[in-house]
Amino acid sequence: MSADNSCPDVSVPLRNLLNFVQCIRDRVKDGESNESSGGFNLQNFWETLNQAVKATSQEATKLSLAFSKPPLPSPQDGERFAESIQKSVLALSTVYYWLPKSQGITMRRMVREATVEVLEGIVQLIDIILSTPLQSLSQEQLTSTGGVWSACDQFVHLPKDNQAAVLEVLASYSGVVKDAISEMEQAQAESHDPFSDVLEEEDLDSRGNQDTYWSEADRQLMAPCQGLMKASAACLKKLSAAIKANGKVDSPENIAQLDDLADITKEISPSVDDLALSLYPPMDYSGVELNACKLASILKKILDITRASHVCLEGDLNWVQFLDGAVDHNLQKVKALVQGSS
């Protein structure tokens, strides 16, 4: 850091403030909530949290404006600015700690990440104020101040209970899976043997599996693998609909079941990606089978957990059983084609 923006009298409270906010940020990253035996009011939590976020945004703006042009704040004013931000940051972190895990780990994780982002933004703002010349409002300081505003603004859009939080993460997983399916379909549509128009048919047959295109045997194996990928997308879609229609946050048990569904479904998208990557030429059949087995195992586990949860009503058993059968069918087809090729 340069000393351009900091005569010793003003820089000391700012440096102390920087250390304080960094400490609070690190504690929020790793800290646990204060589980209390008393009643917890979720609506009151959100109202208080939004007030704390608004106050933090306002204090950060005041600090930025105070150091946006000469003359420097007096040492006494510098102390006051630092104390005001300390209070707002402490209030924000304290309200975050009110939120117990029993309200939902998925929602709590989102609130924690949003809180940390605000604190990161304030750390960056103070750091820039300390390190840039005090001539006019620098672009870095302007950008950093906007970053704090943006981090604070996102609280309005956070899911307000664990049902909404789980639906949000499932939607993100679903988007990744759909992208993987689309990319694989596009690759298939564009792929062809670059030598197919210059070689005789019998020569093509003897070329086997080349590094740049799929053989006919490869394409046959891809079909059930894509079936597993589509079953993954269908599972996320159907489960999301069931959670939206039947999900409850009226008891710790039901909230925990929603968290379990969020935790297990996060394994879908990386497993779909692994399977998709193993399908590109040159195709290693044993690797394809291994990834297909892994994805099928995850889907079967999700369907079992869904079946046993409160979101699965009698009418939902049909799609659960259908997808369970589809997973088995496609996996058996993969195994048969791999064994037949060896």
Side-chain angles (χ1 to χ4, degrees), residues 28 34 45 89-99:
V28 169
N34 300 320
F45 163 78
V89 163
L90 192 57
L92 175 60
S93 64
T94 300
V95 177
Y96 159 71
Y97 283 120
W98 288 358
L99 184 60

Side-chain angles (χ1 to χ4, degrees), residues 13-318:
L14 286 180
R15 292 182 191 281
N16 290 338
L17 175 62
L18 180 64
N19 292 332
F20 176 83
V21 180
Q22 287 173 329
C23 180
I24 293 291
R25 175 201 61 194
D26 294 342
R27 283 171 55 191
V28 169
K29 277 183 179 178
D30 303 323
E32 296 295 337
S33 58
N34 300 320
E35 290 286 351
S36 62
S37 55
F40 175 82
N41 187 308
L42 188 59
Q43 182 177 349
N44 180 61
F45 163 78
W46 280 110
E47 289 173 356
T48 310
L49 182 64
N50 285 329
Q51 289 170 4
V53 170
K54 185 177 180 181
T56 303
S57 178
Q58 289 172 344
E59 292 303 327
T61 303
K62 290 177 188 176
L63 181 73
S64 185
L65 287 173
F67 287 89
S68 64
K69 59 186 178 182
L72 276 171
S74 67
Q76 294 79 12
D77 286 340
E79 285 281 1
R80 279 196 290 269
F81 283 125
E83 286 175 7
S84 293
I85 288 209
Q86 279 190 19
K87 286 179 183 176
S88 66
V89 163
L90 192 57
L92 175 60
S93 64
T94 300
V95 177
Y96 159 71
Y97 283 120
W98 288 358
L99 184 60
K101 286 182 177 179
S102 57
Q103 288 294 318
I105 292 172
T106 308
M107 177 178 69
R108 189 171 180 273
R109 187 180 298 125
M110 291 181 177
V111 177
R112 182 182 66 215
E113 288 171 355
T115 303
V116 168
E117 193 172 331
V118 170
L119 298 174
E120 291 273 17
I122 292 173
V123 165
Q124 185 185 49
L125 175 61
I126 299 167
D127 197 35
I128 286 172
I129 288 173
L130 278 165
S131 61
T132 53
L134 184 68
Q135 295 169 347
S136 61
L137 185 62
S138 69
Q139 184 59 49
E140 290 85 0
Q141 186 175 331
L142 194 60
T143 301
S144 183
T145 306
V148 176
W149 295 342
S150 178
C152 290
D153 288 345
Q154 72 175 320
F155 278 80
V156 178
H157 307 291
L158 288 176
K160 299 303 186 285
D161 61 35
N162 210 45
Q163 179 191 22
V166 170
L167 283 171
E168 188 170 304
V169 297
L170 257 62
S172 69
Y173 303 153
S174 182
V176 175
V177 170
K178 285 178 182 175
D179 287 345
I181 293 171
S182 177
E183 286 173 17
M184 182 54 60
E185 289 175 344
Q186 185 176 354
Q188 270 190 291
E190 294 174 353
S191 174
H192 67 282
D193 182 351
F195 300 101
S196 62
D197 55 350
V198 295
L199 293 177
E200 298 296 331
E201 191 170 336
E202 57 269 19
D203 294 324
L204 283 173
D205 292 338
S206 66
R207 281 168 55 73
N209 181 23
Q210 300 297 305
D211 288 359
T212 55
Y213 71 96
W214 285 291
S215 68
E216 185 54 38
D218 291 345
R219 289 183 179 275
Q220 287 179 3
L221 181 56
M222 287 177 74
C225 291
Q226 287 180 288
L228 284 173
M229 293 166 69
K230 289 176 180 176
S232 302
C235 182
L236 287 168
K237 181 179 179 180
K238 288 290 189 180
L239 179 55
S240 294
I243 291 173
K244 186 174 183 179
N246 312 322
K248 292 185 173 139
V249 289
D250 55 355
S251 70
E253 182 184 3
N254 286 340
I255 290 171
Q257 286 181 358
L258 293 174
D259 280 328
D260 288 343
L261 289 166
D263 284 342
I264 184 62
T265 50
K266 74 181 175 186
E267 297 181 41
I268 290 183
S269 56
S271 297
V272 166
D273 281 342
D274 287 344
L275 179 57
L277 286 171
S278 69
L279 294 176
Y280 281 94
M283 196 185 285
D284 172 18
Y285 283 16
S286 61
V288 171
E289 182 180 13
L290 184 67
N291 286 319
C293 287
K294 181 182 172 186
L295 178 56
S297 174
I298 290 167
L299 292 175
K300 298 276 282 185
K301 191 189 294 187
I302 291 170
L303 293 170
D304 285 343
I305 293 174
T306 299
R307 191 184 284 112
S309 75
H310 73 278
V311 306
C312 184
L313 304 185
E314 189 173 346
D316 296 295
L317 288 173
N318 289 335

